[in-house]
């Protein structure tokens, strides 16, 4: 069994309108200041900025965080601060979603968690005295940020053991925090169950706790296209949050067929003697997602007559992952496939989506996203160069856009290859944009925006 030391509870769960977290009034020499971090656990949120205002009315920015991300840990003076949580809307105006205050104390670390619907979010406050006596050890706090009102149990085992050998760590109710527990540094597996149950609902991959510090394990909902899933985020003292997906979680994929002369087509994973995953897939069509076990798959596209067109495509799906496959003809007119990983972000205020270029006639093209009142030369949103048979990702705020596909020559002369009508994004949709050839258009090219 694991060596574990119970630390007396020094945390509190509060809204910003209530008191701050309790801690000892005595600090230590190792951590002579106060330390503040912000984690965004609101699943339908925008990229959120935390601004501090001190007693002298001096304003400073702590940092920004998207859903499932955190700011770095910053050192602040020991005093009470006014807080403002805000985002920038599609007009460039700053919108404040929540205000409050926090009292910082010497040697204390405070993590502020934003939870609930972004239209009426709440802030939870986890405050504790930083430990300067850890010796090849680390501490963990367990935070339950789930939207559902349920309690969850956390277990831990060494990397060579399984759940039967795991130690129970703590129970945390909705929006609650556990006490702190200390373990020897090393590699571990974490498990989550419903409170009082021995049925594992999440088993993490092996994770190595390398630093002599306090970690927060934040249980949250997954907001990406793979619904009804949870993840356990490891929050340390940097802006890098490490999400631990269930190693037994399924994955999912969808398919876009850009091959006009294979209309309709069949898509198989594995042997073509079995049942196709997608049948009668028309050209210029994006399927819905289909959920399958994670793993490596051979993907094959065939015509309705059954002749194999792409016999050796490879699809790798990791736990909890969503991918889009684009079938197209390459520069040699051979059918092939390109896979891209879809964003796991909420797609509500900010849209993070993939752009795929399968135009073989040019080494690269440019793509511009033009909101109302802007032009190609004044828009802030563009991909300056994307090569043939490659993909790129771009983040756009919620708005309407006309999208332009442009070729630039060596003298920077521009040719418009395709342009869409003005398109208004739909919240919650996972978009895929494909630049492709189309003999039925005047230019011979088109942009297909699918979701």
């Amino acid at each position: 069994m694991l060596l574990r030391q119970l630390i007396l509870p020094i945390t509190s769960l509060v809204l910003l309108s209530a008191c701050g977290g309790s801690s000892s009034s005595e600090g230590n020499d190792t951590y002579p200041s106060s330390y503040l971090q912000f984690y965004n656990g609101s699943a339908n949120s925008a990229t959120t900025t935390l601004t501090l205002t001190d007693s002298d009315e001096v304003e400073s920015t702590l940092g920004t965080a998207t859903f499932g991300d955190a700011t770095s840990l910053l050192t602040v003076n020991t005093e009470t601060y006014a807080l403002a949580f805000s985002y920038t809307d599609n007009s460039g105006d700053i919108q404040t979603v929540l205000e409050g205050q926090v009292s910082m104390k010497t040697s204390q670390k405070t993590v502020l968690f934003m939870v609930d619907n972004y239209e009426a979010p709440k802030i939870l406050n986890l405050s504790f005295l930083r430990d300067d006596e850890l010796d090849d050890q680390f501490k963990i706090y367990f935070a339950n940020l789930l939207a559902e009102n349920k309690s969850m149990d956390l277990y831990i085992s060494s990397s060579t053991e399984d759940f039967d050998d795991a130690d129970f760590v703590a129970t945390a109710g909705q929006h609650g925090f556990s006490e702190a527990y200390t373990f020897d540094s090393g590699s571990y597996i974490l498990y989550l169950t419903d409170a009082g149950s021995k049925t594992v609902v999440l088993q993490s991959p092996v994770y190595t706790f390398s630093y002599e510090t306090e970690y927060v394990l934040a249980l949250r909902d997954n907001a990406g296209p793979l619904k009804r899933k949870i993840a356990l985020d490891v929050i340390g003292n940097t802006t890098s949050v490490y999400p631990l997906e269930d190693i037994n979680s399924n994955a999912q994929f969808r398919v876009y067929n850009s091959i006009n002369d294979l209309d309709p087509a069949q898509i198989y994973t594995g042997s073509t003697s079995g049942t196709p995953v997608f049948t009668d897939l028309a050209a210029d069509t994006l399927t819905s997602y289909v959920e399958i076990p994670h793993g490596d798959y051979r993907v094959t596209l065939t015509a309705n007559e059954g002749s194999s067109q792409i016999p050796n495509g490879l699809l790798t799906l990791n736990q909890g992952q969503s991918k889009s496959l684009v079938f197209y003809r390459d520069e040699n007119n051979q059918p092939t496939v390109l896979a891209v990983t879809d964003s796991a972000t909420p797609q509500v205020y900010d849209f993070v989506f993939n752009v795929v270029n399968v135009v073989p006639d040019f080494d690269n093209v440019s793509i511009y996203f033009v909101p109302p009142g802007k032009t190609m030369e004044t828009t802030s949103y563009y991909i300056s160069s994307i090569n043939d048979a490659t993909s790129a990702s771009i983040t756009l705020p919620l708005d309407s856009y006309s999208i332009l596909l442009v070729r630039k020559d060596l003298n920077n002369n521009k040719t418009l290859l395709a342009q869409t009508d003005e398109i208004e994004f739909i919240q919650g949709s996972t978009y895929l944009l494909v630049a492709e050839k189309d003999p039925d258009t005047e230019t011979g090219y088109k942009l297909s925006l699918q979701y």
Side-chain angles (χ1 to χ4, degrees), residues 134 137-140 181-185 188 209 211 213 215:
L134 294 173
Q137 296 172 314
F138 66 96
K139 285 183 179 178
I140 58 174
Y181 293 88
T182 300
F183 296 89
D184 293 332
S185 299
Y188 294 90
F209 293 90
Y211 300 103
T213 191
Y215 295 87

Side-chain angles (χ1 to χ4, degrees), residues 256-406:
Y256 178 76
N257 177 17
S258 75
I259 305 178
N260 293 328
D261 57 326
L262 292 177
D263 182 6
Q266 322 295 329
I267 309 296
Y268 295 84
T269 55
S271 173
T272 55
S273 62
T275 302
V277 177
F278 299 106
T279 60
D280 297 328
L281 177 57
D284 304 325
T285 300
L286 179 68
T287 69
S288 299
Y289 285 105
V290 61
E291 187 171 329
I292 61 175
H294 65 271
D296 299 307
Y297 294 89
R298 184 183 72 169
V299 291
T300 305
L301 178 146
T302 71
N304 264 3
E305 293 77 14
S307 59
S308 177
Q309 297 292 328
I310 305 177
N312 294 312
L314 175 63
L315 171 64
T316 297
L317 289 168
N318 296 317
Q319 296 91 337
Q321 199 169 51
S322 299
K323 286 190 175 183
S324 295
L325 301 184
V326 177
F327 288 89
Y328 67 99
R329 288 196 180 276
D330 63 19
E331 58 185 0
N332 298 316
N333 203 37
Q334 296 301 308
T336 188
V337 62
L338 186 152
V340 294
T341 302
D342 294 326
S343 173
T345 57
Q347 311 287 352
V348 178
Y349 291 87
D350 300 305
F351 289 79
V352 184
F353 62 90
N354 290 306
V355 178
V356 175
N357 175 24
V358 291
V359 175
D361 300 344
F362 316 107
D363 291 336
N364 59 74
V365 294
S366 303
I367 298 178
Y368 293 84
F369 301 83
V370 183
K374 298 288 186 178
T375 68
M376 187 184 80
E377 294 183 347
T378 60
T379 182
S380 301
Y381 310 108
Y382 55 87
I383 298 173
S384 59
S385 178
I386 179 172
N387 295 332
D388 173 39
T390 61
S391 65
S393 178
I394 189 169
T395 301
L396 301 174
L398 177 64
D399 205 343
S400 299
Y401 298 88
S402 296
I403 309 174
L404 283 67
L405 176 65
V406 176

Side-chain angles (χ1 to χ4, degrees), residues 220-223 226-231 245 249-250 291 320:
R220 61 164 172 85
D221 297 290
N222 255 344
L226 190 60
K227 308 297 184 183
R228 306 178 309 279
K229 303 297 179 182
I230 59 176
E245 298 278 357
S249 175
N250 285 340
E291 187 171 329

Side-chain angles (χ1 to χ4, degrees), residues 26-341:
E26 297 182 2
N28 57 59
D29 293 337
T30 304
Y31 302 107
S33 301
S34 300
Y35 308 90
L36 185 62
Q37 190 173 29
F38 165 55
Y39 173 88
N40 186 350
S42 175
N44 66 336
S45 62
T47 299
T48 302
T49 299
L50 172 56
T51 303
L52 313 179
T53 303
D54 65 18
S55 56
D56 294 326
E57 300 299 320
V58 176
E59 189 176 282
S60 59
T61 298
L62 178 70
T64 61
T66 59
F67 171 65
D69 197 10
T71 65
S72 59
L73 183 68
L74 292 186
T75 300
V76 297
N77 293 328
T78 301
E79 65 164 287
T80 298
Y81 293 89
L83 305 176
F85 298 85
S86 63
Y87 73 97
T88 302
D89 65 17
N90 53 25
S91 299
D93 298 325
I94 296 176
Q95 303 292 338
T96 299
V97 295
L98 187 64
E99 294 179 323
Q101 67 177 30
V102 64
S103 296
M104 302 300 299
K105 299 178 181 178
T106 302
S107 302
Q108 175 180 287
K109 175 179 177 179
T110 295
V111 186
L112 302 176
F113 298 83
M114 177 175 283
V115 296
D116 285 357
N117 192 303
Y118 201 57
E119 295 180 358
K122 296 183 179 69
I123 296 296
L124 314 178
N125 179 328
L126 172 64
S127 299
F128 51 85
L129 191 68
R130 300 195 69 181
D131 193 339
D132 64 347
E133 296 182 352
L134 294 173
D135 183 13
D136 287 328
Q137 296 172 314
F138 66 96
K139 285 183 179 178
I140 58 174
Y141 292 88
F142 176 38
N144 181 349
L145 309 183
L146 295 180
E148 184 179 358
N149 185 11
K150 64 187 301 185
S151 296
M152 301 292 292
D153 290 343
L154 174 68
Y155 291 80
I156 191 169
S157 76
S158 73
S159 59
T160 59
E161 296 177 324
D162 56 26
F163 181 68
D164 291 337
D165 301 310
D167 284 344
F168 170 77
V169 179
T171 300
Q174 183 194 30
H175 297 171
F177 302 117
S178 75
E179 301 166 349
Y181 293 88
T182 300
F183 296 89
D184 293 332
S185 299
S187 299
Y188 294 90
I189 299 172
L190 302 163
Y191 309 85
L192 289 170
T193 71
D194 292 336
S197 171
K198 289 299 183 69
T199 301
V200 176
V201 296
L202 184 150
Q203 178 180 334
S204 79
V206 173
Y207 184 82
T208 301
F209 293 90
S210 304
Y211 300 103
E212 296 174 346
T213 191
E214 300 88 1
Y215 295 87
V216 180
L217 304 180
L219 173 61
R220 61 164 172 85
D221 297 290
N222 255 344
L226 190 60
K227 308 297 184 183
R228 306 178 309 279
K229 303 297 179 182
I230 59 176
L232 191 66
D233 284 343
V234 181
I235 305 171
N237 296 325
T238 71
T239 189
S240 298
V241 173
Y242 194 92
L244 300 176
E245 298 278 357
D246 180 18
I247 65 167
N248 300 307
S249 175
N250 285 340
Q252 63 181 8
F253 76 102
R254 58 185 181 174
V255 170
Y256 178 76
N257 177 17
S258 75
I259 305 178
N260 293 328
D261 57 326
L262 292 177
D263 182 6
Q266 322 295 329
I267 309 296
Y268 295 84
T269 55
S271 173
T272 55
S273 62
T275 302
V277 177
F278 299 106
T279 60
D280 297 328
L281 177 57
D284 304 325
T285 300
L286 179 68
T287 69
S288 299
Y289 285 105
V290 61
E291 187 171 329
I292 61 175
H294 65 271
D296 299 307
Y297 294 89
R298 184 183 72 169
V299 291
T300 305
L301 178 146
T302 71
N304 264 3
E305 293 77 14
S307 59
S308 177
Q309 297 292 328
I310 305 177
N312 294 312
L314 175 63
L315 171 64
T316 297
L317 289 168
N318 296 317
Q319 296 91 337
Q321 199 169 51
S322 299
K323 286 190 175 183
S324 295
L325 301 184
V326 177
F327 288 89
Y328 67 99
R329 288 196 180 276
D330 63 19
E331 58 185 0
N332 298 316
N333 203 37
Q334 296 301 308
T336 188
V337 62
L338 186 152
V340 294
T341 302

